[in-house]
Amino acid sequence: MSPTGPTGAVRVDNRRVFAIAGPAMLANLTTPLLGIVSTGAIGQLGDAALLGGVALAAVAFDCVFWLFGFLRMTTVAFTAQSLGADDRVEIRAVLLRALLLAAAIGLVIVALRLPLAHLIFTAMGGSEAVTAAATSYFHVRLWSAPLSLGNYVILGWLVGQARTGIALALQVGINLLNMILTLVLVLVAGHGIEGAAWATVIAETAGFLCGLVVVRMLAGNLYVARNVLLDRTRWLRMLSVNRDIMIRSAALIGVFLFFTAMGARSGDQVLAANAVLYNFLMIGSFFLDGLATAAEQLCGQSFGARDRTQFSRAVKRVLLWSVAFGAAVTLLFLLTGTHLIDLITTSPEVRGVARDFLVLAALAPLCGVLAYSFDGIYIGAAWARDMRNLMLLAFVTYLGVWYVLTPWGNAGLWIALLVFLLARGLMQMMRYPALVRAAFAGV
């Protein structure tokens, strides 16, 4: 890092942006491989109910753990801000507080695993065989909750210090071990769907233990005085920010669950086509999320250093590169989308329906540029209350547009999603100048 002064601020340039964004993008790209390996291994067993169970359980876990993604986000923000303020004690304290919170949440999830499984899978409405398989997987994998959430914290702590290369190595290591164990436990040892679940538990455990070793090596001394660790003001601030980001995440989950549910009402072919096209949205998010991660760290560090110049430079560079990546991915999908659809599905009917909505799906990365970028900026500055409020307003806008465009069927559903992405970003952009003025008043 290149300090701008006695604090921990850095000079923001393109190299700094991609030193963080690059590894984050690579880590994002490895995640889908895990799903492919798990699905492929279970698929070899020749039981459609088991395959459906894994798919159903995957959605359940995505919702549950996505809801607690604030553990990573706030840890990034508070660590980066402490780094910018050159407060080494608080950097350690942020980690320990977040780990305590992750352990508490994880243990509560484990304790509630039976009612959670009943509630989630009853709501999903799968067949009896699929629900039984999903429940079996869910009960085993849920034991990893404290460790998975602990890994969120460790990864966030590393990213908050711009150590994204180490974070990438840990995340890739967890995913690779998970893949290997899944193949061994499912196909070699014959443990079926529960073997896939235990593979995740073991991989998350190993990742957490390795993460603790890395943390100990980097921090040297993890000791934090009791009065600092349990400081009431800092705990209340952390819980307040976590609460707001959790509400924001719940609204975001609601958008995509509603999108899936409305697509299902249009028939199996439309549901399948939307699932195919949703992959385009996810691929675009891998790149935009990487740049948002850079915004979290660079904006957080500059914010903590009270350096308005570098904060503004980070915002401008992240926005510039996000627009470039968003436009490039959209153009790529417009040019190659039909071929990608054919690679994903062999069904002529699904291919035909997916092609009808290809242009709308291809526009999603470009429409989401501001939303992803400002999410990272707001997280870095811990502007969680505004982030929450604007997300809720965008959610209402989404529902309103969908209602108006209901006669348009699935096209109206996709347009509503694009408007949601645009609305989030534009509202955050409009609110941004006032937040900056208030945050850096007198600087």
Side-chain angles (χ1 to χ4, degrees), residues 358-422:
L358 171 60
V359 173
L360 293 174
L363 289 173
L366 186 58
C367 290
V369 163
L370 292 178
Y372 282 95
S373 300
F374 277 105
D375 271 359
I377 293 162
Y378 276 51
I379 288 169
W383 292 331
R385 184 179 62 180
D386 293 273
M387 191 179 181
R388 175 202 68 194
N389 293 343
L390 295 175
M391 173 64 82
L392 292 174
L393 186 55
F395 181 60
V396 172
T397 302
Y398 167 70
L399 294 178
V401 172
W402 167 80
Y403 181 77
V404 171
L405 298 180
T406 299
W408 292 29
N410 198 52
L413 186 63
W414 273 102
I415 292 171
L417 182 62
L418 297 181
V419 170
F420 165 73
L421 293 171
L422 286 169

Side-chain angles (χ1 to χ4, degrees), residues 306 308 437-443:
R306 316 302 301 144
R308 182 170 182 169
R437 286 194 299 270
F440 293 95
V443 176

Side-chain angles (χ1 to χ4, degrees), residues 70-71 74 78 90 93-105 224-243:
F70 60 76
L71 287 166
T74 54
F78 292 146
E90 185 58 21
V94 166
L95 171 70
L96 296 179
R97 290 190 203 108
L99 284 175
L100 287 173
L101 183 59
I105 293 172
V224 175
R226 182 184 177 86
N227 65 311
V228 175
L229 179 63
L230 301 180
D231 181 86
R232 184 172 181 272
T233 300
R234 294 187 185 275
W235 267 99
L236 288 176
R237 183 186 180 220
M238 181 181 73
L239 292 174
S240 174
V241 172
N242 284 339
R243 176 203 63 206

Side-chain angles (χ1 to χ4, degrees), residues 75 78-79 82-83 87-99 153 157 161 215-216 218-225 228-229:
T75 303
F78 292 146
T79 302
S82 300
L83 182 64
D87 188 342
R88 301 292 165 175
V89 173
E90 185 58 21
I91 289 174
R92 299 195 299 271
V94 166
L95 171 70
L96 296 179
R97 290 190 203 108
L99 284 175
V153 171
W157 190 74
Q161 298 178 81
V215 164
R216 184 68 177 80
L218 293 176
N221 175 20
L222 284 176
Y223 173 77
V224 175
V228 175
L229 179 63

Side-chain angles (χ1 to χ4, degrees), residues 136-138 140-141 178 182 186 192-202:
S136 177
Y137 180 92
F138 189 85
V140 173
R141 184 176 166 186
N178 200 340
T182 296
V186 175
I193 194 169
E194 290 189 355
W198 279 115
T200 299
V201 174
I202 296 169

